[in-house]
């Protein structure tokens, strides 16, 4: 038993060194503690290898499970900290707050909970003057993350997995398996809490943990070692390419102005696509700073920009891409990257069209051209059954500027009789199901009343509702 404890705690010390942490007596360490096996093992080991009075445990009650479970977890952590002589900082998130943040950020429950949890960690770092903050991600978490990113089509750099350190956050358990963690706890008779949702397979991580990983272990013995090796190789490659992108940015005339970044289109286009990708990620990270936890930029957003660069000679006007609260705009020979405000619904999409060209809004790609008295729209949607066959629509009498957006509460559109009908009722009649929030409307912004002129359901297999121009 003694060998198990010593071996584990030696690995934790080695993990701290690998993360760059040092051990002067004056340093203070924070630890995120949920009450589960991983975080209890980390807190216990740190209390043995460091001075307990220099440790602050932070436990966050997200209030997204029944009260007896979430409050029970937090109370368990408080009691354990008192027993081992470690200060405990408890944060109780108001019930319903995680759901509110989920809608605001447009992500899932896990993303919203993580965002609020890291806010609590940052608050503890500031309040207690912490030098390092330890997180309990372990080797099993690393394997799950790499597989999740692989099956989600993540970019090459994402396959490097969870980093050992980021700013003051460090992960000393990243090379330690869950089996070693449980052996360490069992050898000391230490209890821990188990999240009841871990057995539910509605979330991708749980499906990886409960279904995919057991299948791999049964059919491909030893698969973990080469996957972790791949992760280290990808991390090394990513570090080199990211560093090269920073150097390239300085050479091509990267300008940082208030609220935006820009660089010349011609010089940017000459770079290798891998450098362009990393430079775009770098620019987007900079303009989206202040969003709390790091915003995850979908690779489809980057792909759209790269595609525009390839077909640029065929595009008559400027183009724009937007996603995750940021937009990348090509105008007058420069690429501009900037943060945008949410204008439509919290989970919707919105674009103001002022000229011919290609624009992306949400999952939509919109090509706009004008001929005579008609505005021609070519529409593609990421979820369309016929994504290779754009849907063309002509709208008579529509002028620039106009809005291409998702439906908002209270929207209404003119019928053939001249009366108004609620858009919500029209979509009910179309039986749109899960596509309801994806069907766009077009709003005339030039007319004083700014009416809706059409509902575009055809690209997703429904109808179009187009208001006919009145005869003079």
């Amino acid at each position: 038993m003694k060998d198990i404890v010593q071996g584990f705690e030696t690995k934790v010390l080695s993990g701290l060194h690998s993360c760059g942490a040092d051990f002067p007596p004056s340093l203070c360490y924070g630890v995120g503690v949920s009450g589960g096996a991983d975080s209890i093992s980390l807190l216990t080991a740190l209390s043995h290898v460091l001075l307990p009075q220099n440790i602050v445990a932070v436990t966050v009650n997200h209030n997204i499970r029944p009260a007896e479970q979430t409050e029970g977890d937090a109370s368990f952590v408080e009691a354990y900290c008192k027993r081992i002589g470690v200060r405990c900082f408890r944060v109780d998130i108001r019930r319903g707050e995680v759901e509110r943040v989920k809608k605001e950020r447009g992500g899932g429950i896990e993303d919203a909970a993580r965002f609020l949890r890291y806010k609590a960690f940052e608050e503890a770092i500031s309040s207690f003057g912490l030098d390092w903050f330890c997180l309990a991600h372990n080797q099993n978490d690393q394997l799950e993350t790499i597989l999740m990113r692989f099956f989600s089509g993540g970019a090459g750099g994402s396959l490097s997995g969870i980093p050992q350190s980021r700013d003051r956050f460090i992960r000393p358990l990243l090379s330690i398996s869950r089996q070693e963690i449980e052996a360490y706890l069992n050898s000391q008779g230490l209890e821990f809490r188990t999240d009841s949702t871990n057995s539910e397979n509605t979330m991708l991580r749980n499906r990886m943990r409960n279904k995919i990983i057991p299948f791999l272990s049964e059919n491909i013995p030893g698969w973990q070692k080469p996957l972790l090796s791949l992760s280290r190789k990808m991390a090394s490659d990513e570090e080199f390419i990211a560093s090269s992108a920073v150097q390239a940015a300085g050479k091509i005339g990267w300008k940082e102005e208030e609220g935006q970044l820009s660089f010349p289109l011609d010089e940017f286009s000459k770079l290798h696509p891998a450098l362009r990708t990393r430079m775009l990620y770098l620019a987007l990270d900079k303009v989206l700073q202040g969003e709390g936890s790091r915003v995850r930029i979908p690779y489809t957003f980057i792909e759209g920009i790269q595609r525009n660069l390839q077909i640029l000679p065929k595009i008559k006007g400027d183009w724009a891409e937007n996603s995750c609260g940021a937009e990348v705009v090509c105008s007058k020979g420069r690429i501009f990257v900037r943060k945008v405000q949410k204008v439509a619904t919290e989970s919707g999409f919105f674009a103001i069209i002022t000229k011919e060209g290609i624009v992306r809004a949400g999952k939509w790609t919109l090509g706009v051209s004008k001929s005579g008295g008609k505005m021609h729209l070519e529409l593609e949607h990421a979820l369309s059954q016929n994504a290779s066959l754009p849907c063309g629509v002509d709208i008579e009498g529509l002028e620039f500027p106009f809005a291409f957006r998702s439906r908002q509460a209270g929207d209404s559109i003119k019928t053939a009789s001249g009366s108004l009908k609620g858009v919500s009722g029209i979509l009910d009649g179309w039986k749109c199901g899960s596509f309801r929030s994806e069907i766009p409307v077009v709003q005339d912004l030039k007319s004083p009343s700014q009416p809706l002129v059409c509902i575009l359901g055809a690209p997703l297999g429904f109808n179009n509702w187009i208001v006919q121009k009145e005869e003079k």
Side-chain angles (χ1 to χ4, degrees):
M1 295 297 181
K2 185 178 179 181
D3 290 343
I4 292 175
V5 172
Q6 287 183 339
F8 185 89
E9 292 174 358
T10 298
K11 276 196 167 186
V12 171
L13 271 175
S14 176
L16 287 170
H17 281 294
S18 298
C19 295
D22 46 14
F23 311 102
S26 60
L27 290 189
C28 289
Y29 292 78
V31 192
V33 185
S34 66
D38 305 335
S39 59
I40 290 295
S41 71
L42 176 59
L43 176 61
T44 303
L46 290 176
S47 72
H48 291 170
V49 302
L50 303 174
L51 297 174
Q53 60 267 32
N54 286 354
I55 300 172
V56 178
V58 181
T59 188
V60 181
N61 172 12
H62 298 92
N63 265 318
I64 53 178
R65 289 182 288 138
E68 64 271 16
Q69 294 183 24
T70 55
E71 291 178 11
D73 290 347
S75 297
F76 171 82
V77 172
E78 287 182 308
Y80 184 65
C81 288
K82 185 176 181 180
R83 196 173 100 200
I84 63 175
V86 168
R87 287 174 291 174
C88 184
F89 178 59
R90 172 173 171 169
V91 177
D92 290 279
I93 297 171
R94 180 173 54 86
R95 189 165 289 276
E97 180 68 4
V98 174
E99 183 65 30
R100 185 193 69 78
V101 171
K102 170 192 168 185
K103 292 179 180 178
E104 182 180 90
R105 290 172 61 83
I109 284 289
E110 284 184 290
D111 172 75
R114 185 187 305 110
F115 173 79
L116 291 169
R117 184 165 61 252
Y118 274 83
K119 280 186 67 174
F121 293 162
E122 294 282 4
E123 181 184 346
I125 289 172
S126 176
S127 299
F128 294 97
L130 303 177
D131 297 285
W132 299 101
F133 197 96
C134 301
L135 302 171
H137 298 98
N138 60 55
Q139 190 178 87
N140 291 56
D141 296 319
Q142 181 73 292
L143 292 166
E144 292 163 9
T145 297
I146 297 168
L147 288 173
M148 286 169 61
R149 292 178 180 177
F150 173 77
F151 286 114
S152 299
S158 71
L159 298 182
S160 60
I162 305 170
Q164 272 208 315
S165 61
R166 180 177 61 82
D167 301 325
R168 296 191 190 186
F169 292 101
I170 58 177
R171 299 177 172 89
L173 300 185
L174 210 51
S175 63
I176 299 177
S177 70
R178 179 61 186 256
Q179 185 178 8
E180 293 173 286
I181 288 170
E182 292 181 352
Y184 175 74
L185 294 174
N186 291 336
S187 68
Q188 300 173 83
L190 295 176
E191 296 182 353
F192 56 87
R193 302 278 288 187
T194 300
D195 188 337
S196 61
T197 63
N198 286 346
S199 61
E200 298 174 2
N201 291 321
T202 53
M203 291 183 289
L204 178 58
R205 182 173 292 277
N206 285 0
R207 293 199 295 276
M208 287 293 165
R209 181 178 301 162
N210 300 329
K211 291 188 173 184
I212 302 301
I213 287 179
F215 174 84
L216 291 174
S217 298
E218 181 180 350
N219 293 278
I220 312 177
W223 64 272
Q224 299 93 334
K225 187 174 180 179
L227 190 66
L228 292 170
S229 175
L230 171 64
S231 170
R232 292 191 296 272
K233 294 171 188 173
M234 296 305 299
S236 178
D237 290 351
E238 176 65 16
E239 183 180 357
F240 171 75
I241 297 174
S243 175
S244 300
V246 171
Q247 295 177 18
K251 292 178 181 179
I252 70 170
W254 169 300
K255 291 183 180 179
E256 296 190 27
E257 303 164 310
E258 186 175 353
Q260 71 176 13
L261 299 166
S262 70
F263 33 86
L265 171 63
D266 55 349
E267 294 298 322
F268 181 69
S269 300
K270 293 175 186 176
L271 297 176
H272 188 280
L275 285 180
R276 293 202 300 257
T277 293
R278 296 328 187 275
M279 194 180 296
L280 287 168
Y281 276 126
L282 178 65
L284 289 162
D285 281 344
K286 281 184 174 291
V287 300
L288 291 173
Q289 283 178 355
E291 293 295 300
S293 59
R294 185 176 179 181
V295 176
R296 296 180 179 178
I297 304 297
Y299 187 62
T300 51
F301 183 33
I302 305 297
E303 277 186 318
I305 298 167
Q306 298 276 33
R307 185 168 63 227
N308 287 348
L309 294 173
Q310 292 175 352
I311 65 173
L312 193 61
K314 301 178 183 179
I315 302 176
K316 295 180 181 178
D318 299 338
W319 53 262
E321 300 279 345
N322 65 81
S323 179
C324 302
E327 66 176 354
V328 178
V329 178
C330 175
S331 180
K332 298 179 181 179
R334 290 190 75 81
I335 301 287
F336 296 88
V337 183
R338 56 199 178 212
K339 186 177 177 180
V340 295
Q341 300 297 320
K342 295 181 180 179
V343 183
T345 58
E346 292 174 332
S347 60
F349 52 90
F350 189 101
I352 295 178
I353 316 300
T354 59
K355 59 178 73 175
E356 293 182 321
I358 296 176
V359 176
R360 281 181 177 80
K363 297 184 178 75
W364 287 100
T365 301
L366 178 67
V368 182
S369 60
K370 194 170 189 306
S371 178
K374 293 183 179 180
M375 192 72 70
H376 181 72
L377 309 182
E378 288 281 332
L379 298 106
E380 294 182 55
H381 190 274
L383 301 181
S384 173
Q385 296 296 319
N386 295 305
S388 61
L389 300 174
C391 180
V393 179
D394 289 318
I395 305 175
E396 190 174 357
L398 181 63
E399 302 286 344
F400 296 116
F402 65 89
F404 177 87
R405 63 173 175 81
S406 54
R407 176 187 62 86
Q408 299 179 18
D411 275 344
S412 59
I413 193 167
K414 189 180 288 187
T415 67
S417 65
S419 61
L420 292 176
K421 184 176 179 66
V423 173
S424 180
I426 293 171
L427 298 184
D428 286 341
W430 290 356
K431 299 185 180 349
C432 302
S434 61
F435 287 107
R436 183 184 184 89
S437 62
E438 293 295 328
I439 293 180
V441 298
V442 174
Q443 183 177 11
D444 180 359
L445 300 180
K446 191 171 184 180
S447 300
S449 61
Q450 298 190 348
L452 298 186
V453 296
C454 62
I455 309 171
L456 300 173
L460 293 175
F462 303 102
N463 299 320
N464 284 336
W465 183 296
I466 300 177
V467 178
Q468 299 299 317
K469 185 180 179 182
E470 295 180 2
E471 296 292 338
K472 293 186 178 179

